Amino acid sequence: ISLLKVRGSYGLVGNDKTNSRFPYLTNISLNQREYTFGYEFDNTLWGTNILLLGNDLATWEVGKKFNAGVEIGLFNNLTLITDIFRENRSGIFMQRRVVPATAGLGSTLPYANLGKVRNQGVDLSLEYNKSIKKDFIVSARANLTYATNTVMDKDEPSQQEPYLSVIGHPINTIRGLISEGLFESDEEIANWPTQTFQSDYRVGDIKYRDLNNDGKIDKNDYTAIGNPTIPEIVYGFGASTQYKKVDFSFFFQGTGLVSLLMDNIYPFGAYNRNPYQFIADDYWSESNPNANAKYPRLDYQENKNNNQESTYWLRDASFIRLKNLEIGYSVNSFRFYLAGNNLLTFSSFKNWDPEMGGGNGLKYPPQRTARIGFQYNF
């Protein structure tokens, strides 16, 4: 053991970033509301409107942070660093969602210190450096971070179904319906709970699970699906070597426990665009009545039944990428090299780069680049 270090910390941090600079003051507009009256409706008077209800009990949100770590060095070549952390953040300033209509507030819902969130995880890093021979040097490194958060408290209706609650789930959780595949017959549609998103749904359309068993499928059947849209695992590893005049290095980057939801990918109709390749390759049709097709029945107009957020459009967004690769040769004061970035990506999701996240993939993707160059040192 060439190095041993143990550390720990505990403290409180505050956050005063709110929706308003002065949340304790009520914000009123004097010319916001109007009322028109008269025999010919030719008289209009303007009145006040409350834009923000002040809360004279508003305070900072407070985070209680704890961290413990150890750093170990072995044989003067290998270093391992481990940290575990937890933060309990309370008093998060947010808007109320459950206010009786009899309060007369309308859509002007008040803000208060309501939310609680727990963040915790572990951070690992490993580094190895070794001069094997006079002209042979090896260096390797790896890191991994696992971080997750959980909503501990939020203003929610107490009478709602438990699966509708966001409490107990990460902040960036995807919510949607649970897909049961595609309808295979008119008889199946007749015996299935009524799907309320569109009156005209047919064989080849997506069928959903009735979570509350009330005989109809609507927004009350939405639940937490998949992993969060922000990866809970981020890792990387790489190495570099130098043997006499030749040097070589690479680095891989990856993510895990992350999902994406495809959306706005629907061809034709209101979207007026050509279909994606995966749609053209495998969609439900009378000639391909596959209940597990990658895309449901094509429609000439917007199909609101099929466009719902659901597990049908949920995908695993984890990936591993060859982020950097470089090989070089040095002679005298010159170094010639060949390098590349984002050369390879391995992922179960193939429709676009998974690092771009959900949506329709119509964003500018990470560039794959290759370059040849030389350096002169003087």
Side-chain angles (χ1 to χ4, degrees), residues 95-259:
Q95 195 171 25
R96 288 191 176 275
R97 298 298 179 188
V98 184
V99 177
T102 52
L105 301 179
S107 60
T108 309
L109 301 179
Y111 285 79
N113 298 96
L114 301 172
K116 293 182 181 179
V117 173
R118 172 177 294 169
N119 300 277
Q120 58 188 1
V122 60
D123 191 16
L124 303 171
S125 66
L126 185 68
E127 186 172 351
Y128 177 78
N129 295 285
K130 178 71 174 179
S131 179
I132 299 177
K133 293 183 179 180
K134 179 181 178 180
D135 297 325
F136 188 25
I137 301 174
V138 176
S139 176
R141 56 209 171 274
N143 60 77
L144 182 146
T145 298
Y146 169 71
T148 183
N149 63 72
T150 305
V151 177
M152 308 300 295
D153 196 10
K154 189 178 181 180
D155 192 29
E156 291 185 337
S158 58
Q159 72 276 13
Q160 68 178 3
E161 300 287 351
Y163 60 81
L164 291 173
S165 175
V166 301
I167 297 175
H169 299 284
I171 293 175
N172 298 289
T173 296
I174 301 173
R175 304 193 69 81
L177 299 165
I178 298 178
S179 168
E180 299 284 6
L182 305 178
F183 285 114
E184 298 184 65
S185 66
D186 292 331
E187 181 181 3
E188 185 179 26
I189 294 177
N191 294 324
W192 198 261
T194 303
Q195 304 191 166
T196 62
F197 310 107
Q198 175 174 307
S199 59
D200 180 23
Y201 54 94
R202 310 176 187 177
V203 176
D205 287 341
I206 304 174
K207 59 182 177 180
Y208 303 110
R209 186 181 302 175
D210 183 10
L211 292 183
N212 57 4
N213 296 316
D214 63 351
K216 62 180 179 180
I217 299 170
D218 53 20
K219 294 294 183 179
N220 291 321
D221 294 295
Y222 270 52
T223 187
I225 56 176
N227 292 305
T229 55
I230 302 297
E232 294 186 324
I233 294 178
V234 178
Y235 62 92
F237 59 90
S240 59
T241 63
Q242 182 174 351
Y243 180 69
K244 294 184 178 180
K245 299 180 179 181
V246 179
D247 61 89
F248 173 75
S249 65
F250 68 90
F251 185 75
F252 282 89
Q253 167 195 331
T255 63
L257 295 182
V258 56
S259 297

Side-chain angles (χ1 to χ4, degrees), residues 325-341:
L325 178 68
E326 184 168 334
I327 184 170
Y329 180 80
S330 301
V331 54
N332 297 328
S333 298
F334 290 91
R335 178 178 177 268
F336 301 89
Y337 66 90
L338 176 65
N341 299 92

Side-chain angles (χ1 to χ4, degrees), residues 1-4 72-79:
I1 298 177
S2 54
L3 172 67
L4 178 60
I72 301 176
L74 300 175
F75 311 107
N76 292 312
N77 298 318
L78 182 65
T79 303

Side-chain angles (χ1 to χ4, degrees), residues 19 23 25-29 32-33 48-55 94-112 155:
N19 63 303
L25 298 179
T26 298
N27 189 355
I28 299 177
S29 174
Q32 188 75 20
R33 294 291 186 181
T48 60
N49 182 39
I50 298 177
L51 302 178
L52 174 68
L53 282 170
N55 183 352
M94 60 195 311
Q95 195 171 25
R96 288 191 176 275
R97 298 298 179 188
V98 184
V99 177
T102 52
L105 301 179
S107 60
T108 309
L109 301 179
Y111 285 79
D155 192 29

